């Protein structure tokens, strides 16, 4: 059984003598919520609260400093840490190479005579971009502007078009490899490759369900003139075919190497970066753009690594003070179904004000061990967590992906009309969550098969 929450051996020894219990759990959570509410960064709030709680439990700053050092040494030396900026760089190279746009235009060429073909091409483009770019709001808005322009020329319903693009962006983020999945693995001491494999079947089922919903309820065609104007040829250009093959080669190589444990996560991520860089150079990416991509990823990944360190220290504080055990006991008293419902509700609330990574940092050290004691498979919980956290930006009335998709439209579509058209995606995601909760083998059979 894996060890969860990043608790070091030293923290475990101290916990026996330094438990404060439910009182400090309440204080920790209240102070943490207040700091975040007043605008303190989640990583900073976690670090400050954790150090104060450890000192309150032990009365010795030497213990606090020793646990900080132990957390840095034990937690940040795992090879999955370096995989985070490497996977981000891999996606950055693919996104900047123009490969995703090539695939979108190829799909537009191939499907323009098919009913709902324009919608399917736009959905594929947005999902693929969200997958390679990590689903950032800015990136989603920028790429939705491209796909929406093409979709708008052939569809009359603007709200339905934007709803589809927002849904596709959310579903694209479910596909491994993903920074959220790597972070979950680090914080819960689960094999990252196993999480990738566990996500494959639920993600593919959700995408298949979404494609069916697009075929059934695609935006109505526009005028005959618009639908006929500037129709592309049926044959996708060789450049687009090469881009699709390149993306598939990178993704399949990464999944096979890390899923079958042919290479470590860091080695696999390095290989993915190399393949993505070769593809980007082959598509004309220059040295200046390569350096810029590296710098962008460095600036974006540094806060994530700091957040992981703070979350690991938070796990130490939960162990030393006994707050973690008190909260886990409270969850355990609800039973498996009740505890899972509470976890999902908490994730949904957190993602209305925080990003998914921060929500994982705040909850992983509490939820995973509690779920394990209730008999919930940790891989199944990881899948449910990713489905909830990546789907939450679609939930009204605060769905961030809906607002970014609306910004791409630039034509004043009422936001609640777009929310109405993301309901099919939310229904599909809810069905996937319930499926994994009721039948966890849907998710876990593949990683257990190859382990």
């Amino acid at each position: 059984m894996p060890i969860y929450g990043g608790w070091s051996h030293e923290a475990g020894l101290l916990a026996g003598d330094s438990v404060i219990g439910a009182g400090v759990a309440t204080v920790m959570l209240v102070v943490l919520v207040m700091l975040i509410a007043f605008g303190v960064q989640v990583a900073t709030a976690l670090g400050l609260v954790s150090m104060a709680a450890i000192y309150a439990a032990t009365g010795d700053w030497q213990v606090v400093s020793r646990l900080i050092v132990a957390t840095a040494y034990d937690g940040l030396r795992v090879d999955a840490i370096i995989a985070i900026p490497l996977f981000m760089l891999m996606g950055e190279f693919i996104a900047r190479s123009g490969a995703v746009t090539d695939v979108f235009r190829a799909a537009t060429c191939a499907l323009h005579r098919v009913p709902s073909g324009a919608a399917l091409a736009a959905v594929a483009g947005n999902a693929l971009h969200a997958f390679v770019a990590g689903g950032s709001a800015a990136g989603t808005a920028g790429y939705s502007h491209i796909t929406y322009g093409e979709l708008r020329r052939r569809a009359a319903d603007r709200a339905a078009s934007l709803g589809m693009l927002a849904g596709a962006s959310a579903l694209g983020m479910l596909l491994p490899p993903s920074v959220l999945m790597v972070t979950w693995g680090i914080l819960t001491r689960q094999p990252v490759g196993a999480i990738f494999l566990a996500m494959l079947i639920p993600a593919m089922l959700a995408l298949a369900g979404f494609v069916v919903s697009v075929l059934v309820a695609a935006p109505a065609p526009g005028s005959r003139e618009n639908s006929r104007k500037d129709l592309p040829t049926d044959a996708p250009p060789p450049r687009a075919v090469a881009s699709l093959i390149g993306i598939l080669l990178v993704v399949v190589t990464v999944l096979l190497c890390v899923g079958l444990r042919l290479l470590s996560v860091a080695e696999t991520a390095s290989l993915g970066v190399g393949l993505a860089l070769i593809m980007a150079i082959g598509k004309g990416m220059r040295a200046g753009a390569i350096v810029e991509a590296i710098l962008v990823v460095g600036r974006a990944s540094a806060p994530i690594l700091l957040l992981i360190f703070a979350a690991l220290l938070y796990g130490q504080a939960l162990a030393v003070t006994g707050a973690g055990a008190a909260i886990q006991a409270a969850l355990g008293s609800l039973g498996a179904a009740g505890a899972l419902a509470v976890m999902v509700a908490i994730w949904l609330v957190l993602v209305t004000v925080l990003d998914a990574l921060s929500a994982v940092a705040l909850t992983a050290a509490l939820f995973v061990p509690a779920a394990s004691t209730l008999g919930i498979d940790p891989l199944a919980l990881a899948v449910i967590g990713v489905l909830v956290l990546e789907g939450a930006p679609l939930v009204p009335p605060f769905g961030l992906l809906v607002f970014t998709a609306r910004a791409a439209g630039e034509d004043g579509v009422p936001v609640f009309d777009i929310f109405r058209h993301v309901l099919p995606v939310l229904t599909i995601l809810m069905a996937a969550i319930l499926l994994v909760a009721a039948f966890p083998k849907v998710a876990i059979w593949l990683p257990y098969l190859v382990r």
Side-chain angles (χ1 to χ4, degrees):
M1 179 67 66
I3 299 173
Y4 303 109
W7 300 354
S8 72
H9 177 65
E10 184 172 3
L13 293 177
L14 288 170
D17 300 322
S18 309
V19 170
I20 298 178
V24 76
T26 303
V27 173
M28 281 181 66
L29 293 177
V30 169
V31 173
L32 196 56
V33 169
M34 289 180 61
L35 288 174
I36 294 172
F38 280 105
V40 178
Q41 293 292 324
V42 174
T44 304
L46 280 173
L48 291 174
V49 169
S50 299
M51 289 188 290
I54 294 170
Y55 178 75
T58 63
D60 189 347
W61 285 111
Q62 292 291 330
V63 173
V64 177
S65 64
R66 292 208 315 271
L67 284 177
I68 292 173
V69 172
T71 301
Y73 182 76
D74 293 336
L76 299 182
R77 66 174 178 167
V78 296
D79 66 346
I81 287 285
I82 194 63
I84 288 178
L86 288 175
F87 279 134
M88 293 174 67
L89 186 58
M90 180 186 79
E92 190 73 13
F93 283 151
I94 295 175
R96 287 173 177 260
S97 71
V100 177
T101 302
D102 287 344
V103 173
F104 164 62
R105 289 174 178 164
T108 303
C109 291
L111 298 173
H112 78 274
R113 297 185 188 277
V114 177
S116 307
L120 287 175
V123 163
N126 255 47
L128 192 57
H129 183 268
F131 162 65
V132 301
S136 68
T140 298
Y143 199 77
S144 293
H145 183 75
I146 298 172
T147 52
Y148 178 69
E150 186 65 30
L151 185 57
R152 244 334 252 125
R153 290 200 302 123
R154 311 218 177 119
D157 194 328
R158 300 173 300 166
S161 300
L162 292 173
M164 285 184 181
L165 297 182
S169 298
L171 292 176
M173 290 185 281
L174 299 178
L175 295 171
S178 142
V179 171
L180 179 62
M181 298 176 203
V182 177
T183 303
W184 186 292
I186 294 171
L187 296 181
T188 62
R189 296 295 195 267
Q190 294 182 57
V192 173
I195 297 177
F196 286 177
L197 292 180
M199 275 303 305
L200 271 180
I201 301 300
M204 296 307 294
L205 288 175
L207 285 170
F210 185 53
V211 168
V212 171
S213 74
V214 170
L215 292 172
V216 171
S223 69
R224 183 178 181 85
E225 179 182 356
N226 281 342
S227 63
R228 289 285 184 185
K229 186 173 70 173
D230 298 328
L231 280 178
T233 60
D234 289 309
R239 176 186 177 92
V241 175
S243 295
L244 179 59
I245 292 174
I247 294 174
L248 290 176
L249 176 64
V250 173
V251 174
V252 171
T253 300
V254 167
L255 290 179
L256 285 177
C257 288
V258 73
L260 299 178
R261 301 185 183 182
L262 303 177
L263 298 173
S264 70
V265 179
E267 291 167 344
T268 300
S270 300
L271 178 60
V273 169
L275 293 174
L277 179 59
I278 291 171
M279 182 176 71
I281 293 174
K283 293 180 65 62
M285 193 173 185
R286 303 300 182 189
I290 293 172
V291 172
E292 183 182 356
I294 294 171
L295 293 176
V296 166
V297 169
R299 289 191 290 267
S301 61
I304 296 175
L305 301 182
L306 179 61
L307 177 65
I308 291 174
F309 169 74
L312 291 172
L313 186 62
Y314 173 61
Q316 304 279 30
L318 292 174
V320 170
T321 61
I327 296 173
Q328 290 155 27
L331 286 172
S333 66
L334 301 175
L340 195 56
V342 169
M343 293 175 194
V344 170
I346 291 173
W347 281 327
L348 289 174
V349 171
L350 287 176
V351 178
T352 61
V353 292
L354 301 173
D355 59 275
L357 289 174
S358 297
V360 170
L362 288 168
T363 58
L366 296 170
F367 288 178
V368 176
S372 182
T373 60
L374 290 169
I376 300 173
D377 189 279
L379 284 177
L381 182 66
V383 172
I384 292 171
V386 173
L387 288 169
V388 173
L389 292 169
E390 297 292 26
L394 295 174
V395 177
F398 303 110
L400 179 60
L401 285 178
V402 172
F403 284 97
T404 55
R406 180 177 182 269
E410 297 181 350
D411 47 9
V413 179
V415 68
F416 282 100
D417 287 350
I418 305 175
F419 275 121
R420 181 164 52 87
H421 287 286
V422 301
L423 289 179
V425 186
L426 291 174
T427 302
I428 290 167
L429 289 172
M430 180 59 69
I433 292 167
L434 293 174
L435 179 65
V436 175
F439 306 100
K441 288 187 178 180
V442 171
I444 66 176
W445 74 269
L446 185 57
Y448 282 110
L449 179 67
V450 302
R451 69 176 180 177

